[in-house]
Amino acid sequence: MLTGLHIVFLGGDARHLELIRSFTDLDANVAVIGYEDLHEQLHEVQHSKLTREVLRKADVLILPVVGTDDHGRVESSFSAETLLLDKEYMSCLPKHAKVYTGIAKPYLRNLCAELGIDLIELFSRDDVAIYNSIPTAEGALMMAIQHTDITIHGSRCMVLGLGRIGLTLAGMLLRLGAHVKVGVQKPEQFARAWEMGIEPFYTKDLYDEGVNADIIFNTVPAHILTSHVLTRIPHHAIIIDLASKPGGTDFRFAEKRGIKALLAPSLPGLVAPRTAGRILATLLMSIDSGRTKSKSRDTFFSFRDMRSRTLHNES
């Protein structure tokens, strides 16, 4: 049980609702900021404004998957208000508090480092990113089916990048009967793709490799689908860019050429928020129950340890 632990959610999306339910079920004290437009009722939850007082009580601060933008603004799917997490607010957190996000931008990293606050980026963990790649890949397939007039089976698909999302997506496409090519940068990735029965090529040769593609999935967070490359992409092709904003595609030139190009970051929160939320909740609960290795416990707080510290401070 998490009795006595104060957890504050600042912003977020549908994924965070599953986390909130998990924490309240374990008797934590949960406060949410930026949820005033949420249509469903959250039981045993305190709805708050962004104030110094609520942050002073926080043992844990949970931010959206992207944390903040480059100026400290925090996004919430359930509020039209501007949430700004600046140094003045962050300095109100207790010294033992932990800040959780998916991926942190330099603004948040620098602010936490300056104030000596522990920042944990969940998506830097391989296990979280691999689990999360499943709803991401399924969402990408859903978009491909919605925006094409052909089947995945038999289509000529190209996956750019063979990281955690690229591996999952390429495997799904292969099992659905697509002809899959994958663009890689490293020899070991080339070898892995070949071992999987996927046709590999180096992304430096993308200009020549994209001439017959029906569907292109980009996972590379760099400007890879340039105007030069797009001149060789067929007009009927569709590009689904899964990289974080602004993506890796020249969207202006794609539109000019009549190529449908869609930017689709954060798909898990859109297509499978309950599953994505359960992934995070299960991970955090497993840390508390001691099922993770000691290295992971060094990176993440133990809920039991945090609760003991909270009770000590209150006494």
Side-chain angles (χ1 to χ4, degrees), residues 253-264:
F253 191 78
E255 183 179 7
K256 183 177 180 180
R257 283 211 69 220
I259 299 171
K260 184 179 291 186
L262 306 171
L263 181 61

Side-chain angles (χ1 to χ4, degrees), residues 172-194:
M172 285 186 181
L173 290 167
L174 196 63
R175 290 189 291 273
L176 285 172
H179 302 289
V180 186
K181 297 172 68 172
V182 61
V184 302
Q185 293 181 312
K186 301 176 181 179
E188 57 267 31
Q189 294 173 332
F190 193 101
R192 175 58 66 194
W194 181 85

